[in-house]
Amino acid sequence: MIEFHRVTKYFTQVNTPIKDLSFSIKQGEFVYLVGPSGAGKTSLFKLITREWTATSGTIRVGNYRLERMRTDQLYLLRRKIGMINQSDLFLPNRTIYENLAYCLDVLEISRNEQEYLITEALEDVGMENYQKYYPHEISVGQSKKIAIARALITKPPIIIADEPTANLDTKSAVEMMRLFFRINQRKTTVIVSMHDSTMVNTLRNRVIELKNGQIVRDAKEGGYSEFDDPKDVYVW
């Protein structure tokens, strides 16, 4: 479960990206986070992962109260969250396998277990045949799949994706979203920030809409906006 209670992140009077935010997300939910650029979507993700600390209010992720966590405890939180950023950053001089192994080295996971986890994660996203490729040898869509595999590799109960379909063609974007729905069917919580109105309107789920750091709409099986164009859907 993720729970925000009256959370504010304050930098200056003119830079307060999150303002008195309250909501909860149950384990296993699929949630779209929508809103214009600067609405607070990425800021919210930074608070969930404790990249930022809230100025006021309380945040709970699972059994952790984030404002009470010490810096040396944050690895416990981040093992529970798989993060897919807007930019897929990989070590350019290492293969796909070596990039994923690097993440597991940090967690001091044995080589035998690493091989199993990497193979399973790549099979999950249909990229098992690309282990020996280098990042520059694969497409943008394939890079995004590898980023998802990296997020899945420790089997976290929460997946967060920040604009995962940006820069993808329609076919790749649809394939990407189907992958997220498969992950969600395992009772993994999935939160996806999204600018693609057609995708949100086609594959409906809970929608939380932000504007100026505040929730302006929280709709079960909502569309991208309160007043949707019925023609703004993909034809399957």
Side-chain angles (χ1 to χ4, degrees), residues 159-195:
I159 292 289
I160 292 173
D162 196 0
E163 298 291 345
T165 60
N167 304 317
L168 296 182
D169 59 66
T170 299
K171 181 180 178 181
S172 297
V174 169
E175 186 178 355
M176 196 66 51
M177 292 308 299
R178 284 176 169 163
L179 179 55
F180 282 121
F181 279 108
R182 287 207 310 272
I183 294 167
N184 177 243
Q185 287 172 353
R186 305 173 190 168
K187 306 302 180 184
T188 301
T189 301
V190 177
I191 309 171
V192 180
S193 69
M194 181 73 65
H195 275 304

mmCIF file of all heavy atoms in Angstrom, residues 159-195:
data_model
loop_
_atom_site.group_PDB
_atom_site.id
_atom_site.type_symbol
_atom_site.label_atom_id
_atom_site.label_comp_id
_atom_site.label_asym_id
_atom_site.label_seq_id
_atom_site.Cartn_x
_atom_site.Cartn_y
_atom_site.Cartn_z
ATOM 1 N N ILE A 159 5.823 -1.226 -9.058
ATOM 2 C CA ILE A 159 6.517 -0.747 -10.250
ATOM 3 C C ILE A 159 6.033 0.674 -10.541
ATOM 4 O O ILE A 159 4.828 0.930 -10.595
ATOM 5 C CB ILE A 159 6.239 -1.641 -11.472
ATOM 6 C CG1 ILE A 159 6.872 -3.026 -11.296
ATOM 7 C CG2 ILE A 159 6.732 -0.978 -12.759
ATOM 8 C CD1 ILE A 159 8.376 -3.046 -11.390
ATOM 9 N N ILE A 160 6.985 1.581 -10.727
ATOM 10 C CA ILE A 160 6.687 2.974 -11.065
ATOM 11 C C ILE A 160 7.313 3.263 -12.421
ATOM 12 O O ILE A 160 8.506 2.993 -12.622
ATOM 13 C CB ILE A 160 7.252 3.934 -10.006
ATOM 14 C CG1 ILE A 160 6.503 3.788 -8.682
ATOM 15 C CG2 ILE A 160 7.170 5.382 -10.489
ATOM 16 C CD1 ILE A 160 7.120 4.589 -7.549
ATOM 17 N N ALA A 161 6.525 3.819 -13.342
ATOM 18 C CA ALA A 161 7.037 4.122 -14.673
ATOM 19 C C ALA A 161 6.718 5.570 -15.019
ATOM 20 O O ALA A 161 5.556 5.969 -15.028
ATOM 21 C CB ALA A 161 6.424 3.183 -15.713
ATOM 22 N N ASP A 162 7.759 6.342 -15.291
ATOM 23 C CA ASP A 162 7.613 7.764 -15.592
ATOM 24 C C ASP A 162 7.653 7.962 -17.103
ATOM 25 O O ASP A 162 8.710 7.873 -17.720
ATOM 26 C CB ASP A 162 8.747 8.537 -14.898
ATOM 27 C CG ASP A 162 8.482 10.034 -14.821
ATOM 28 O OD1 ASP A 162 7.422 10.470 -15.306
ATOM 29 O OD2 ASP A 162 9.338 10.756 -14.274
ATOM 30 N N GLU A 163 6.482 8.199 -17.691
ATOM 31 C CA GLU A 163 6.342 8.402 -19.138
ATOM 32 C C GLU A 163 7.010 7.286 -19.957
ATOM 33 O O GLU A 163 7.865 7.544 -20.813
ATOM 34 C CB GLU A 163 6.942 9.765 -19.534
ATOM 35 C CG GLU A 163 6.272 10.953 -18.904
ATOM 36 C CD GLU A 163 4.866 11.206 -19.424
ATOM 37 O OE1 GLU A 163 4.511 10.630 -20.469
ATOM 38 O OE2 GLU A 163 4.137 11.970 -18.781
ATOM 39 N N PRO A 164 6.624 6.030 -19.724
ATOM 40 C CA PRO A 164 7.323 4.919 -20.397
ATOM 41 C C PRO A 164 7.073 4.828 -21.890
ATOM 42 O O PRO A 164 7.861 4.192 -22.601
ATOM 43 C CB PRO A 164 6.773 3.682 -19.683
ATOM 44 C CG PRO A 164 5.401 4.093 -19.242
ATOM 45 C CD PRO A 164 5.543 5.541 -18.856
ATOM 46 N N THR A 165 5.999 5.442 -22.398
ATOM 47 C CA THR A 165 5.717 5.333 -23.832
ATOM 48 C C THR A 165 6.197 6.548 -24.615
ATOM 49 O O THR A 165 5.986 6.625 -25.821
ATOM 50 C CB THR A 165 4.208 5.138 -24.081
ATOM 51 O OG1 THR A 165 3.489 6.259 -23.555
ATOM 52 C CG2 THR A 165 3.703 3.870 -23.410
ATOM 53 N N ALA A 166 6.834 7.501 -23.928
ATOM 54 C CA ALA A 166 7.365 8.665 -24.642
ATOM 55 C C ALA A 166 8.396 8.197 -25.664
ATOM 56 O O ALA A 166 9.188 7.298 -25.408
ATOM 57 C CB ALA A 166 7.996 9.632 -23.653
ATOM 58 N N ASN A 167 8.354 8.801 -26.845
ATOM 59 C CA ASN A 167 9.299 8.510 -27.931
ATOM 60 C C ASN A 167 9.101 7.134 -28.561
ATOM 61 O O ASN A 167 9.961 6.688 -29.327
ATOM 62 C CB ASN A 167 10.753 8.638 -27.456
ATOM 63 C CG ASN A 167 11.044 9.994 -26.857
ATOM 64 O OD1 ASN A 167 10.623 11.010 -27.390
ATOM 65 N ND2 ASN A 167 11.761 10.016 -25.743
ATOM 66 N N LEU A 168 7.991 6.474 -28.260
ATOM 67 C CA LEU A 168 7.711 5.184 -28.888
ATOM 68 C C LEU A 168 6.627 5.349 -29.944
ATOM 69 O O LEU A 168 5.712 6.172 -29.797
ATOM 70 C CB LEU A 168 7.231 4.166 -27.845
ATOM 71 C CG LEU A 168 8.207 3.761 -26.732
ATOM 72 C CD1 LEU A 168 7.549 2.719 -25.838
ATOM 73 C CD2 LEU A 168 9.506 3.226 -27.310
ATOM 74 N N ASP A 169 6.700 4.554 -31.021
ATOM 75 C CA ASP A 169 5.609 4.553 -31.989
ATOM 76 C C ASP A 169 4.404 3.851 -31.379
ATOM 77 O O ASP A 169 4.497 3.207 -30.335
ATOM 78 C CB ASP A 169 6.047 3.875 -33.287
ATOM 79 C CG ASP A 169 6.497 2.438 -33.070
ATOM 80 O OD1 ASP A 169 5.660 1.586 -32.700
ATOM 81 O OD2 ASP A 169 7.702 2.158 -33.255
ATOM 82 N N THR A 170 3.263 3.964 -32.031
ATOM 83 C CA THR A 170 2.017 3.450 -31.463
ATOM 84 C C THR A 170 2.084 1.958 -31.188
ATOM 85 O O THR A 170 1.677 1.498 -30.113
ATOM 86 C CB THR A 170 0.835 3.739 -32.418
ATOM 87 O OG1 THR A 170 0.711 5.147 -32.580
ATOM 88 C CG2 THR A 170 -0.461 3.190 -31.840
ATOM 89 N N LYS A 171 2.617 1.193 -32.131
ATOM 90 C CA LYS A 171 2.692 -0.256 -31.946
ATOM 91 C C LYS A 171 3.546 -0.603 -30.725
ATOM 92 O O LYS A 171 3.159 -1.444 -29.897
ATOM 93 C CB LYS A 171 3.268 -0.917 -33.201
ATOM 94 C CG LYS A 171 3.367 -2.431 -33.096
ATOM 95 C CD LYS A 171 3.951 -3.035 -34.371
ATOM 96 C CE LYS A 171 4.092 -4.554 -34.236
ATOM 97 N NZ LYS A 171 4.674 -5.162 -35.463
ATOM 98 N N SER A 172 4.694 0.046 -30.585
ATOM 99 C CA SER A 172 5.583 -0.224 -29.448
ATOM 100 C C SER A 172 4.945 0.220 -28.138
ATOM 101 O O SER A 172 5.094 -0.444 -27.111
ATOM 102 C CB SER A 172 6.927 0.488 -29.650
ATOM 103 O OG SER A 172 7.595 -0.005 -30.782
ATOM 104 N N ALA A 173 4.232 1.358 -28.175
ATOM 105 C CA ALA A 173 3.581 1.863 -26.970
ATOM 106 C C ALA A 173 2.496 0.908 -26.485
ATOM 107 O O ALA A 173 2.381 0.633 -25.286
ATOM 108 C CB ALA A 173 2.985 3.247 -27.233
ATOM 109 N N VAL A 174 1.703 0.396 -27.420
ATOM 110 C CA VAL A 174 0.654 -0.563 -27.056
ATOM 111 C C VAL A 174 1.272 -1.835 -26.481
ATOM 112 O O VAL A 174 0.818 -2.370 -25.469
ATOM 113 C CB VAL A 174 -0.235 -0.882 -28.280
ATOM 114 C CG1 VAL A 174 -1.145 -2.067 -27.985
ATOM 115 C CG2 VAL A 174 -1.060 0.340 -28.667
ATOM 116 N N GLU A 175 2.333 -2.313 -27.114
ATOM 117 C CA GLU A 175 3.023 -3.506 -26.624
ATOM 118 C C GLU A 175 3.568 -3.269 -25.216
ATOM 119 O O GLU A 175 3.492 -4.150 -24.353
ATOM 120 C CB GLU A 175 4.161 -3.846 -27.588
ATOM 121 C CG GLU A 175 4.871 -5.147 -27.276
ATOM 122 C CD GLU A 175 5.967 -5.472 -28.272
ATOM 123 O OE1 GLU A 175 6.115 -4.732 -29.273
ATOM 124 O OE2 GLU A 175 6.682 -6.464 -28.046
ATOM 125 N N MET A 176 4.089 -2.068 -24.983
ATOM 126 C CA MET A 176 4.626 -1.718 -23.665
ATOM 127 C C MET A 176 3.530 -1.751 -22.602
ATOM 128 O O MET A 176 3.705 -2.285 -21.507
ATOM 129 C CB MET A 176 5.246 -0.320 -23.738
ATOM 130 C CG MET A 176 6.154 0.036 -22.596
ATOM 131 S SD MET A 176 7.629 -0.990 -22.581
ATOM 132 C CE MET A 176 8.204 -0.799 -24.269
ATOM 133 N N MET A 177 2.377 -1.183 -22.926
ATOM 134 C CA MET A 177 1.297 -1.132 -21.946
ATOM 135 C C MET A 177 0.734 -2.517 -21.674
ATOM 136 O O MET A 177 0.366 -2.836 -20.533
ATOM 137 C CB MET A 177 0.196 -0.193 -22.435
ATOM 138 C CG MET A 177 0.602 1.271 -22.468
ATOM 139 S SD MET A 177 1.295 1.863 -20.893
ATOM 140 C CE MET A 177 -0.101 1.601 -19.800
ATOM 141 N N ARG A 178 0.676 -3.362 -22.677
ATOM 142 C CA ARG A 178 0.239 -4.740 -22.448
ATOM 143 C C ARG A 178 1.176 -5.450 -21.477
ATOM 144 O O ARG A 178 0.750 -6.242 -20.638
ATOM 145 C CB ARG A 178 0.181 -5.491 -23.778
ATOM 146 C CG ARG A 178 -1.032 -5.131 -24.618
ATOM 147 C CD ARG A 178 -0.998 -5.829 -25.955
ATOM 148 N NE ARG A 178 -2.261 -5.695 -26.663
ATOM 149 C CZ ARG A 178 -2.421 -5.907 -27.959
ATOM 150 N NH1 ARG A 178 -1.385 -6.264 -28.698
ATOM 151 N NH2 ARG A 178 -3.599 -5.765 -28.525
ATOM 152 N N LEU A 179 2.458 -5.127 -21.592
ATOM 153 C CA LEU A 179 3.440 -5.695 -20.673
ATOM 154 C C LEU A 179 3.176 -5.237 -19.243
ATOM 155 O O LEU A 179 3.200 -6.041 -18.303
ATOM 156 C CB LEU A 179 4.847 -5.288 -21.123
ATOM 157 C CG LEU A 179 6.026 -5.754 -20.282
ATOM 158 C CD1 LEU A 179 6.027 -7.264 -20.117
ATOM 159 C CD2 LEU A 179 7.325 -5.297 -20.939
ATOM 160 N N PHE A 180 2.879 -3.960 -19.065
ATOM 161 C CA PHE A 180 2.572 -3.461 -17.719
ATOM 162 C C PHE A 180 1.313 -4.126 -17.153
ATOM 163 O O PHE A 180 1.247 -4.421 -15.953
ATOM 164 C CB PHE A 180 2.400 -1.946 -17.738
ATOM 165 C CG PHE A 180 3.693 -1.190 -17.793
ATOM 166 C CD1 PHE A 180 3.959 -0.323 -18.842
ATOM 167 C CD2 PHE A 180 4.651 -1.348 -16.802
ATOM 168 C CE1 PHE A 180 5.150 0.366 -18.905
ATOM 169 C CE2 PHE A 180 5.853 -0.661 -16.859
ATOM 170 C CZ PHE A 180 6.103 0.205 -17.915
ATOM 171 N N PHE A 181 0.323 -4.365 -18.004
ATOM 172 C CA PHE A 181 -0.892 -5.017 -17.519
ATOM 173 C C PHE A 181 -0.619 -6.463 -17.118
ATOM 174 O O PHE A 181 -1.208 -6.963 -16.147
ATOM 175 C CB PHE A 181 -2.004 -4.934 -18.571
ATOM 176 C CG PHE A 181 -2.730 -3.617 -18.568
ATOM 177 C CD1 PHE A 181 -2.546 -2.703 -19.576
ATOM 178 C CD2 PHE A 181 -3.579 -3.286 -17.518
ATOM 179 C CE1 PHE A 181 -3.191 -1.474 -19.560
ATOM 180 C CE2 PHE A 181 -4.241 -2.070 -17.493
ATOM 181 C CZ PHE A 181 -4.049 -1.155 -18.522
ATOM 182 N N ARG A 182 0.252 -7.154 -17.840
ATOM 183 C CA ARG A 182 0.614 -8.513 -17.448
ATOM 184 C C ARG A 182 1.310 -8.504 -16.077
ATOM 185 O O ARG A 182 1.066 -9.367 -15.244
ATOM 186 C CB ARG A 182 1.529 -9.156 -18.494
ATOM 187 C CG ARG A 182 0.844 -9.553 -19.760
ATOM 188 C CD ARG A 182 1.552 -10.709 -20.459
ATOM 189 N NE ARG A 182 2.977 -10.494 -20.627
ATOM 190 C CZ ARG A 182 3.530 -9.880 -21.679
ATOM 191 N NH1 ARG A 182 2.768 -9.398 -22.635
ATOM 192 N NH2 ARG A 182 4.842 -9.758 -21.765
ATOM 193 N N ILE A 183 2.181 -7.537 -15.880
ATOM 194 C CA ILE A 183 2.864 -7.411 -14.594
ATOM 195 C C ILE A 183 1.849 -7.155 -13.486
ATOM 196 O O ILE A 183 1.912 -7.750 -12.407
ATOM 197 C CB ILE A 183 3.891 -6.263 -14.650
ATOM 198 C CG1 ILE A 183 5.016 -6.614 -15.630
ATOM 199 C CG2 ILE A 183 4.461 -5.960 -13.271
ATOM 200 C CD1 ILE A 183 5.912 -5.436 -15.990
ATOM 201 N N ASN A 184 0.880 -6.310 -13.759
ATOM 202 C CA ASN A 184 -0.145 -5.985 -12.770
ATOM 203 C C ASN A 184 -1.009 -7.186 -12.411
ATOM 204 O O ASN A 184 -1.480 -7.316 -11.268
ATOM 205 C CB ASN A 184 -1.017 -4.847 -13.308
ATOM 206 C CG ASN A 184 -2.150 -4.474 -12.383
ATOM 207 O OD1 ASN A 184 -3.327 -4.611 -12.733
ATOM 208 N ND2 ASN A 184 -1.831 -4.005 -11.191
ATOM 209 N N GLN A 185 -1.195 -8.102 -13.355
ATOM 210 C CA GLN A 185 -2.004 -9.289 -13.086
ATOM 211 C C GLN A 185 -1.371 -10.210 -12.051
ATOM 212 O O GLN A 185 -2.033 -11.087 -11.514
ATOM 213 C CB GLN A 185 -2.264 -10.047 -14.395
ATOM 214 C CG GLN A 185 -3.262 -9.333 -15.298
ATOM 215 C CD GLN A 185 -3.392 -9.964 -16.666
ATOM 216 O OE1 GLN A 185 -2.641 -10.889 -17.012
ATOM 217 N NE2 GLN A 185 -4.319 -9.473 -17.466
ATOM 218 N N ARG A 186 -0.098 -9.995 -11.753
ATOM 219 C CA ARG A 186 0.578 -10.769 -10.700
ATOM 220 C C ARG A 186 0.391 -10.138 -9.324
ATOM 221 O O ARG A 186 1.087 -10.482 -8.378
ATOM 222 C CB ARG A 186 2.072 -10.844 -10.998
ATOM 223 C CG ARG A 186 2.430 -11.391 -12.357
ATOM 224 C CD ARG A 186 3.932 -11.227 -12.558
ATOM 225 N NE ARG A 186 4.320 -11.512 -13.924
ATOM 226 C CZ ARG A 186 5.511 -11.225 -14.427
ATOM 227 N NH1 ARG A 186 6.428 -10.658 -13.662
ATOM 228 N NH2 ARG A 186 5.804 -11.517 -15.683
ATOM 229 N N LYS A 187 -0.515 -9.158 -9.240
ATOM 230 C CA LYS A 187 -0.781 -8.423 -7.989
ATOM 231 C C LYS A 187 0.324 -7.430 -7.667
ATOM 232 O O LYS A 187 0.476 -7.003 -6.520
ATOM 233 C CB LYS A 187 -1.005 -9.371 -6.805
ATOM 234 C CG LYS A 187 -2.092 -10.415 -7.034
ATOM 235 C CD LYS A 187 -3.426 -9.759 -7.353
ATOM 236 C CE LYS A 187 -4.516 -10.803 -7.570
ATOM 237 N NZ LYS A 187 -5.808 -10.189 -7.984
ATOM 238 N N THR A 188 1.116 -7.065 -8.674
ATOM 239 C CA THR A 188 2.107 -6.005 -8.513
ATOM 240 C C THR A 188 1.407 -4.661 -8.705
ATOM 241 O O THR A 188 0.647 -4.482 -9.653
ATOM 242 C CB THR A 188 3.225 -6.148 -9.562
ATOM 243 O OG1 THR A 188 3.838 -7.423 -9.411
ATOM 244 C CG2 THR A 188 4.270 -5.052 -9.405
ATOM 245 N N THR A 189 1.654 -3.730 -7.796
ATOM 246 C CA THR A 189 1.126 -2.384 -7.952
ATOM 247 C C THR A 189 1.882 -1.693 -9.082
ATOM 248 O O THR A 189 3.114 -1.699 -9.101
ATOM 249 C CB THR A 189 1.303 -1.573 -6.658
ATOM 250 O OG1 THR A 189 0.618 -2.239 -5.600
ATOM 251 C CG2 THR A 189 0.748 -0.162 -6.806
ATOM 252 N N VAL A 190 1.152 -1.103 -10.017
ATOM 253 C CA VAL A 190 1.775 -0.414 -11.147
ATOM 254 C C VAL A 190 1.236 1.013 -11.206
ATOM 255 O O VAL A 190 0.018 1.228 -11.249
ATOM 256 C CB VAL A 190 1.490 -1.133 -12.481
ATOM 257 C CG1 VAL A 190 2.099 -0.355 -13.647
ATOM 258 C CG2 VAL A 190 2.032 -2.557 -12.455
ATOM 259 N N ILE A 191 2.152 1.983 -11.189
ATOM 260 C CA ILE A 191 1.782 3.395 -11.311
ATOM 261 C C ILE A 191 2.519 3.949 -12.518
ATOM 262 O O ILE A 191 3.749 3.909 -12.575
ATOM 263 C CB ILE A 191 2.163 4.197 -10.054
ATOM 264 C CG1 ILE A 191 1.636 3.509 -8.793
ATOM 265 C CG2 ILE A 191 1.605 5.619 -10.146
ATOM 266 C CD1 ILE A 191 2.163 4.136 -7.508
ATOM 267 N N VAL A 192 1.762 4.468 -13.487
ATOM 268 C CA VAL A 192 2.336 4.926 -14.751
ATOM 269 C C VAL A 192 1.938 6.375 -14.983
ATOM 270 O O VAL A 192 0.748 6.689 -15.050
ATOM 271 C CB VAL A 192 1.837 4.058 -15.928
ATOM 272 C CG1 VAL A 192 2.453 4.544 -17.228
ATOM 273 C CG2 VAL A 192 2.158 2.589 -15.707
ATOM 274 N N SER A 193 2.929 7.269 -15.093
ATOM 275 C CA SER A 193 2.605 8.633 -15.512
ATOM 276 C C SER A 193 2.511 8.642 -17.031
ATOM 277 O O SER A 193 3.256 7.949 -17.716
ATOM 278 C CB SER A 193 3.656 9.629 -15.016
ATOM 279 O OG SER A 193 4.882 9.451 -15.678
ATOM 280 N N MET A 194 1.584 9.437 -17.560
ATOM 281 C CA MET A 194 1.238 9.268 -18.967
ATOM 282 C C MET A 194 0.741 10.578 -19.568
ATOM 283 O O MET A 194 -0.070 11.287 -18.969
ATOM 284 C CB MET A 194 0.140 8.200 -19.067
ATOM 285 C CG MET A 194 -0.335 7.878 -20.457
ATOM 286 S SD MET A 194 0.864 6.915 -21.403
ATOM 287 C CE MET A 194 0.900 5.397 -20.473
ATOM 288 N N HIS A 195 1.258 10.898 -20.769
ATOM 289 C CA HIS A 195 0.744 12.021 -21.556
ATOM 290 C C HIS A 195 -0.096 11.531 -22.738
ATOM 291 O O HIS A 195 -0.729 12.342 -23.411
ATOM 292 C CB HIS A 195 1.891 12.872 -22.091
ATOM 293 C CG HIS A 195 2.384 13.904 -21.123
ATOM 294 N ND1 HIS A 195 1.570 14.856 -20.541
ATOM 295 C CD2 HIS A 195 3.620 14.126 -20.618
ATOM 296 C CE1 HIS A 195 2.283 15.631 -19.742
ATOM 297 N NE2 HIS A 195 3.532 15.201 -19.758
#
